[in-house]
Amino acid sequence: MKSKSSIPASKSGKYWLVKSEPEVFSIDCLAASPAKTTCWEGVRNYQARNFMRDEMQIGDFVLFYHSNASPPAIVGLAKVVRAFYPDPTAFNKKSPYFDPKSRKEQPTWGMVDIQLVEKFSQPLGLDFLKKVPELSKMTLLQKGSRLSVQPVRPDEFDTVIRLSRQLAKPVAVF
DNA sequence: GCCAACGTTGGC
DNA sequence: GCCAACGTTGGC
């Protein structure tokens, strides 16, 4: 019998990774959010914005990464549930994400909504990921890579999901 | 807390 | 358009 693949496939064929500092917004915050959904506010980098605006589509899968964490790790999977729309925090003077140059008539910044699909039972730590040959080209693992919203190649996405499944299995004891 | 790498700003 | 100064990111 053919077994059904447990690797999720996105309709668009596109996959992403977003970074968040767990001190600011962790995967547990996402899990505790209404409908396990949050708006991805505060992106203030043009390249990251352009990915969200020009390429992200509803249904795309998004790896959730904890940066500035110990250890830094991919901690779960989410998906896009709302396409790009203006980020109101850019107009809020009290927000840390306030941008005085952004005009309401023509907003500079935007965001998408993402919904939690699953929190990995074992985080995939940065040091672990670096040892995986199939991931050697992954944007996240390149030196000096700081993009907070970045594309992930389909084969890399498959590898990450497969590793998360492997790590979730009980360790054999002899 | 340090600091390398990167992005942005602004004078010229 | 160049590039120095500055600010931010993020691993360690």
Side-chain angles (χ1 to χ4, degrees):
Chain A
M1 196 205 295
K2 207 170 168 184
S3 75
K4 198 178 153 194
S5 168
S6 62
I7 313 273
S10 80
K11 270 190 181 172
S12 70
K14 288 185 174 154
Y15 301 89
W16 308 96
L17 178 143
V18 297
K19 298 178 182 175
S20 184
E21 301 187 26
E23 297 281 308
V24 178
F25 191 85
S26 69
I27 192 154
D28 290 326
C29 297
L30 178 58
S33 301
K36 298 187 178 185
T37 299
T38 189
C39 58
W40 205 247
E41 64 186 28
V43 172
R44 294 294 179 269
N45 170 285
Y46 287 100
Q47 204 181 346
R49 179 205 66 183
N50 293 348
F51 281 132
M52 290 197 295
R53 184 189 62 192
D54 303 336
E55 299 193 50
M56 257 193 196
Q57 298 178 34
I58 290 176
D60 284 2
F61 287 104
V62 181
L63 297 170
F64 197 105
Y65 178 80
H66 278 170
S67 61
N68 261 318
S70 45
I74 300 175
V75 292
L77 178 66
K79 65 181 178 182
V80 177
V81 291
R82 181 174 174 185
F84 193 77
Y85 63 106
D87 178 351
T89 64
F91 309 117
N92 179 358
K93 281 186 183 166
K94 289 181 181 165
S95 168
Y97 304 126
F98 176 64
D99 178 5
K101 294 193 300 270
S102 181
R103 311 272 147 205
K104 274 195 177 170
E105 314 82 69
Q106 199 172 358
T108 308
W109 305 111
M111 58 194 188
V112 298
D113 287 358
I114 65 169
Q115 179 178 42
L116 183 66
V117 175
E118 64 170 298
K119 178 184 170 181
F120 294 157
S121 58
Q122 302 274 4
L124 304 181
L126 188 60
D127 55 345
F128 170 77
L129 295 168
K130 281 178 176 168
K131 290 184 205 150
V132 180
E134 296 95 316
L135 300 179
S136 62
K137 299 262 179 68
M138 196 176 181
T139 302
L140 177 73
L141 305 179
Q142 304 313 303
K143 192 181 178 187
S145 166
R146 314 190 318 186
L147 257 189
S148 64
V149 177
Q150 54 181 253
V152 175
R153 279 187 279 276
D155 61 298
E156 294 166 345
F157 179 79
D158 282 3
T159 298
V160 168
I161 297 299
R162 187 167 44 75
L163 290 169
S164 78
R165 302 283 183 266
Q166 274 174 20
L167 287 187
K169 282 181 193 162
V171 179
V173 181
F174 296 97

